């Protein structure tokens, strides 16, 4: 049996080659890999010796040769194939171990030039991988060091690989080639005539890995599956570890994402309760328990069967309170062992742990480092809409007070809190807040007036007073009537984007009613 080893990432390759040699497998290799193996005392034949041709063109040509590809592609069950190998003195290659030039890592570096990128496009590696993967019944192809252990175990057990393993390796190989080519296409498709890089490539190549098949989709007659990015952001939903409970459903995952994205946006202990993709209760507190109790008060009816997310460790006091209600999904960065024991009594509750890295939330971090998508997509008929994700963070310095009345410090805090929540509420969104908690949420209505009225009704049903509340509107008030509705309900300060042709009319209405009005200059439509 012959094994050709040619790897850029040399993790574990020496130990792997040593084990292959111990099994009597002949080692073939190229360039740096051959030198590494030889330096470790392993007998290795260089591909140049096998082919009779030296590596040339700065290493661009070394394995593109019939003695390599013939050895990989020849079908052992075809006499004419084997006769051709014998006629041309070509040995079979039974194992191929190749990982590719680090193109993705190269272009991810700041200052990467087009020349750097081009030189890190592998040609011979993908060609060999494709040949071996096509001929999977006769050749085992390894494209990642994580595969070494499985292959060695089978070789040691029986001296050969099972068809099941070889086919799985082949599929993984073709997937890797697809990912690699997609990365190259994405990068090159961004380069414009002036040499600058476009934000959106001329061709977009999605690279996603299936995590699980789901029982059904949004409705029982629909089929569904859950995928993650090839390289997921740390602290994102797809990195979650399910600690207990039933299998997540399509709607569970969609709602969980809405809750998790919202709760991650707070720096202080926070709790978010989501129902049907909208936050029905959001609050901050001194700890998880206080945040939960305040969030639950917003809308206890909607919180029934909701999705609950925390950005702090869930301890026993919080767990005891949460256990009093029906919960579909619970998410947090961590749980105390005692809290997890309490949840075991509710075996159906899906408990997810999503660890946040120490660097999470630090100023200057990229969206990826903060667990956020850089780009969002929406499927339309035979197409995609792509946009940069709505990752705008509003600060006090961004606010423009347009009313005669000036906000107090408490009002500014309530306005910023309300604005943060409104970003995660479906348009048209109206959010009443006070004291670090939502007091009434109106979502997803065709009319902003109706959203305002619904938010007021929700507060009444929860027994909450809207007196002296702050209100956020995700888009501008096109007429003064929306402002009058929220002020009639008890609001004393309002935050909105501004930008309407009737802004002067709405500002005059705010002054007439004696309330504070603040413009953000940013809109947060969420459809």
């Amino acid at each position: 049996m012959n094994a050709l080893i040619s790897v850029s990432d040399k993790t574990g390759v020496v130990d792997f080659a040593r084990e292959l040699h111990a099994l009597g497998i002949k080692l073939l290799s190229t360039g740096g890999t051959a030198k590494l193996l030889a330096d470790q005392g392993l007998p290795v034949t260089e591909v140049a010796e096998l082919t009779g041709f030296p590596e040339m063109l700065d290493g661009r040509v070394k394995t593109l040769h019939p003695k390599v590809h013939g050895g990989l592609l020849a079908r052992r069950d075809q006499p004419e194939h084997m006769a051709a190998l014998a006629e041309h003195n070509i040995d079979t290659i039974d194992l191929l171990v190749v990982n590719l030039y680090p193109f993705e890592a190269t272009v991810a570096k700041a200052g990467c030039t087009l020349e750097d990128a081009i030189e890190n496009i592998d040609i011979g590696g993908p060609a060999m991988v494709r040949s071996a993967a096509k001929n999977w019944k006769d050749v085992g192809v390894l494209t990642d060091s994580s595969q070494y252990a499985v292959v060695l175990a089978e070789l040691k057990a029986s001296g050969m690989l099972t068809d099941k393993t070889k086919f799985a390796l082949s599929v993984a190989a073709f997937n890797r080639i697809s990912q690699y080519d997609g990365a190259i296409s994405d990068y090159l498709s961004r380069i414009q005539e002036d040499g600058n890089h476009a934000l959106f490539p001329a061709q977009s190549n999605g690279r996603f890995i299936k995590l699980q098949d789901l029982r059904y989709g949004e409705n029982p007659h629909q089929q569904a599956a859950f995928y993650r990015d090839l390289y997921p952001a740390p602290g994102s939903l797809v990195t979650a570890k399910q600690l207990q409970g039933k299998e997540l459903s399509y709607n569970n995952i969609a709602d969980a994402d809405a809750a998790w994205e919202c709760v991650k946006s707070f720096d202080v202990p926070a709790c978010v309760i989501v129902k049907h993709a909208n936050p029905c209760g959001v609050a901050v507190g001194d700890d998880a328990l206080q945040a939960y109790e305040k969030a639950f008060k917003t809308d206890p009816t909607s919180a029934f069967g909701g999705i609950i997310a925390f950005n702090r460790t869930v301890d026993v006091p919080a767990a005891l309170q949460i256990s009093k209600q029906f919960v579909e999904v619970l998410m947090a960065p961590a749980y105390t062992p005692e809290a997890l024991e309490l949840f075991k009594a509710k075996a159906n509750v899906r408990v997810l742990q999503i660890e946040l890295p120490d660097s999470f939330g630090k100023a200057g971090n990229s969206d990826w480092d903060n667990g956020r998508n850089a780009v969002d997509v929406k499927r339309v008929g035979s197409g995609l809409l792509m946009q940069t994700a709505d990752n705008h963070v509003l600060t006090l310095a961004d606010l423009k007070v347009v009313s005669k009345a000036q906000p107090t410090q408490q009002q500014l805090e309530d306005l910023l809190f309300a604005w943060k929540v409104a970003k995660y509420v479906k348009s048209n969104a109206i959010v009443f807040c006070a004291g670090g908690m939502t007091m009434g949420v109106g979502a997803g209505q065709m009319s902003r007036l109706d959203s305002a009225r619904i938010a007021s009704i929700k507060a009444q049903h929860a027994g909450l007073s809207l007196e002296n509340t702050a209100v956020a509107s995700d888009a501008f008030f096109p007429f003064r009537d929306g402002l009058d509705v929220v002020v009639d309900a008890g609001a004393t300060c309002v935050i909105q984007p501004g930008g309407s042709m009737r802004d002067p009319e709405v500002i005059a209405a705010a002054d007439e009613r004696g309330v504070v009005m603040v413009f953000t200059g940013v809109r947060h439509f969420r459809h």
Side-chain angles (χ1 to χ4, degrees), residues 324-354:
K324 294 178 181 179
Q325 77 164 100
F326 170 47
V327 182
E328 285 277 3
V329 181
L330 179 63
M331 293 174 288
Y335 303 83
T336 64
E338 296 81 7
L340 288 176
E341 282 297 317
L342 287 172
F343 290 126
K344 285 181 180 178
K346 292 181 172 286
N348 287 335
V349 176
R350 303 160 177 91
V351 178
L352 306 183
Q353 181 177 356
I354 309 176

Side-chain angles (χ1 to χ4, degrees), residues 95-114:
L95 279 179
L96 178 70
V97 186
V98 169
N99 52 54
L100 311 175
Y101 290 176
F103 179 85
E104 295 102 325
T106 298
V107 299
K109 294 176 183 175
C112 173
T113 65
L114 178 58

Side-chain angles (χ1 to χ4, degrees), residues 33-80:
T33 306
K35 183 178 185 305
L36 173 66
L37 299 182
D39 288 346
Q40 294 298 314
L42 289 167
V44 59
T45 300
E46 291 214 35
V47 166
E49 181 181 342
L50 174 74
T51 63
F53 281 85
E55 292 186 13
M56 59 182 67
L57 307 182
D58 298 320
R60 286 189 172 198
V61 177
K62 50 192 172 189
T63 59
L64 298 171
H65 193 280
K67 285 204 170 184
V68 173
H69 287 274
L72 291 170
L73 283 165
R75 289 182 55 177
R76 281 48 159 181
D77 63 346
Q78 295 289 328
E80 60 270 31

Side-chain angles (χ1 to χ4, degrees), residues 112-114 186-202:
C112 173
T113 65
L114 178 58
D186 280 347
Y187 177 81
L188 297 179
S189 292
R190 282 192 168 95
I191 299 177
Q192 300 171 300
E193 290 185 6
D194 60 5
N196 292 319
H197 285 225
L199 185 59
F200 301 105

